[in-house]
Amino acid sequence: MRAPAVNEGGYVSRGSVVLSVENVERSFGAARALAGVDLSIVRGELLTILGPSGSGKTTLLKAIAGFESLDRGTIAIDGVEVTRLPPARRDIGMVFQHYALFPHMKVYENVAFALKMRHRPNVEIAQRVNEALQLVELEGLAGRYPAQLSGGQQQRVALARAIVFNPKLLLLDEPFGALDRKLRETMQLEVRRLHQRLGLTTIFITHDQEEALIMSDRIAIMREGRMCQIGTPEEIYTCPRDEFVADFVGESNLIAGRIERILHGRGRIASTRDRFIAALVGPEFSEGQEVTVLLRPEVPWQVKTSSRPDNTFRGRIVEIVYLGNAVKYRITALDGTDLMVRWPVSAHSSMLALDSEIEVGWSADDGHVLPRP
């Protein structure tokens, strides 16, 4: 399996669009699974489609693969429209959550199947299968049946089968959902390593936000058959477009308020009668507008007597959750407002006590202002 061209920095050359999805719609009776989806992926990119159950992400993947017909819209791969082509003619590799291996075939035969269907010479088949098994570190298990393998090994076989014919596009439909957490994390790194080594153009489906942040070049957030936002993991996490994305990806404090004043890009936002938040606001916002301020739990810090940040919040610790490498505290103010903070655990820090009083603070540029729906 030939590795892609790389530049001087070691990165896969990218730029050309491999997949183009335009205005795709699909309904099942009165339920709209896909409602005008647009999406494009460039060569060598790993894009994760993230969304809750029923958001349409698996329907979209099946439509791209050719297993689901469309009511409207087009799908093109490498500039060639494939909307009505059967799956076998789309040159796509696919890995499912439950492996979908042939139980009566040995590992070698499972991996070789796609090449045999393409009528490749036996010598080429042997070479490619051996290379694929080496890539997934299963070269010594070619003679075993799927039932003789662990779940992680079966998933590696499924991955080898999907990449053995050098597909133009690799689709992964929640491939680690059946694995335990430790094995899941191992396979995440395996897929990421293979993607970088081979320059595979990949779409990864998951409902796991942490998995999406770890693996992706870009993330596409879906809800009710629509794309809510597409961006890098950093963009999605730090600059979500709306409350749904902010709440769905990562933990968040979402504080409702109204912009009272804007001066030189800095807003004064009233969240309650006596509570105000200082935050940077963009030109799309105006005085009097109802907004939500997103504050990630890791952002606030404990206020000491010598520091006076732009924003402060005083209350009592009403809940403590120990996470091993971090501790989450839920703080409740006298007016009943809650704030969640999460701080790392170190050898030089001690946990705060339940019901103790604490003051935390953050700067004006630490909050992200969102429009109210």
Side-chain angles (χ1 to χ4, degrees):
M1 302 180 68
R2 184 174 298 175
V6 296
N7 59 27
E8 292 181 356
Y11 298 101
V12 175
S13 300
R14 296 181 179 174
S16 59
V17 174
V18 171
L19 174 71
S20 177
V21 176
E22 295 185 4
N23 196 31
V24 163
E25 297 183 7
R26 181 67 168 116
S27 296
F28 300 97
R32 297 189 72 187
L34 300 174
V37 173
D38 293 311
L39 181 67
S40 63
I41 303 173
V42 299
R43 193 170 309 283
E45 181 178 25
L46 194 159
L47 180 134
T48 294
I49 301 178
L50 178 65
S53 297
S55 61
K57 55 188 187 296
T58 296
T59 301
L60 176 59
L61 200 75
K62 288 181 177 179
I64 294 169
F67 298 122
E68 193 68 67
S69 61
L70 300 179
D71 299 327
R72 180 177 297 178
T74 61
I75 298 172
I77 297 176
D78 264 353
V80 178
E81 186 177 344
V82 298
T83 311
R84 292 174 178 81
L85 287 183
R89 295 182 58 191
R90 297 195 183 196
D91 203 14
I92 290 175
M94 192 160 184
V95 180
F96 302 92
Q97 178 177 342
H98 297 292
Y99 321 136
L101 299 177
F102 299 114
H104 62 287
M105 293 184 181
K106 295 180 180 180
V107 167
Y108 182 96
E109 295 166 328
N110 266 280
V111 177
F113 182 79
L115 295 172
K116 290 181 178 179
M117 291 298 98
R118 287 164 171 79
H119 306 292
R120 306 312 302 167
N122 289 334
V123 173
E124 179 185 341
I125 291 174
Q127 179 182 348
R128 287 192 175 217
V129 170
N130 289 332
E131 288 176 351
L133 291 177
Q134 287 175 9
L135 283 170
V136 298
E137 300 179 356
L138 289 179
E139 57 267 35
L141 302 180
R144 294 191 184 183
Y145 289 97
Q148 298 174 307
L149 305 175
S150 67
Q153 289 171 334
Q154 289 183 52
Q155 194 59 284
R156 288 169 187 258
V157 175
L159 185 58
R161 184 179 62 182
I163 66 175
V164 71
F165 58 97
N166 288 331
K168 292 179 180 177
L169 188 63
L170 176 64
L171 307 181
L172 305 171
D173 187 11
E174 303 209 41
F176 311 139
L179 305 180
D180 62 62
R181 182 176 180 84
K182 188 173 182 62
L183 186 54
R184 184 185 185 107
E185 292 173 350
T186 299
M187 289 303 298
Q188 288 170 1
L189 296 177
E190 281 291 320
V191 168
R192 187 65 179 165
R193 177 183 64 83
L194 275 175
H195 167 258
Q196 292 173 340
R197 179 173 176 178
L198 300 176
L200 296 169
T201 306
T202 305
I203 301 179
F204 188 94
I205 296 286
T206 185
H207 62 271
D208 187 310
Q209 300 94 331
E210 183 178 349
E211 188 167 75
L213 292 170
I214 290 170
M215 296 191 63
S216 312
D217 294 317
R218 284 192 305 155
I219 298 173
I221 308 292
M222 288 193 72
R223 181 190 188 190
E224 297 177 351
R226 300 182 183 275
M227 287 293 177
C228 298
Q229 184 174 354
I230 302 176
T232 66
E234 183 179 6
E235 289 169 346
I236 294 291
Y237 187 79
T238 61
C239 300
R241 184 174 296 169
D242 55 33
E243 288 187 29
F244 172 76
V245 176
D247 190 46
F248 188 73
V249 180
E251 295 179 303
S252 57
N253 295 290
L254 296 173
I255 308 167
R258 179 178 177 274
I259 300 177
E260 279 199 344
R261 183 180 68 241
I262 300 176
L263 184 62
H264 304 306
R266 185 183 175 110
R268 174 182 163 93
I269 300 168
S271 63
T272 65
R273 178 180 299 176
D274 301 315
R275 188 181 300 282
F276 302 91
I277 299 173
L280 302 183
V281 296
E284 67 273 23
F285 295 98
S286 58
E287 293 181 354
Q289 185 174 350
E290 300 289 333
V291 297
T292 298
V293 180
L294 163 66
L295 185 68
R296 295 296 186 185
E298 66 272 13
V299 167
W301 66 87
Q302 189 171 359
V303 174
K304 305 299 181 181
T305 55
S306 59
S307 63
R308 296 314 307 169
D310 298 324
N311 299 284
T312 59
F313 184 96
R314 178 179 291 275
R316 291 191 176 277
I317 297 175
V318 297
E319 183 179 55
I320 300 174
V321 180
Y322 179 71
L323 302 172
N325 61 347
V327 180
K328 287 197 300 186
Y329 299 97
R330 183 160 63 91
I331 306 167
T332 301
L334 289 176
D335 63 4
T337 305
D338 281 345
L339 192 75
M340 184 71 73
V341 299
R342 184 179 68 245
W343 293 325
V345 173
S346 71
H348 306 292
S349 64
S350 57
M351 289 178 57
L352 301 173
L354 191 67
D355 203 40
S356 60
E357 190 169 312
I358 185 176
E359 185 177 27
V360 299
W362 64 95
S363 65
D365 57 359
D366 284 334
H368 180 62
V369 180
L370 301 166
R372 293 291 299 278

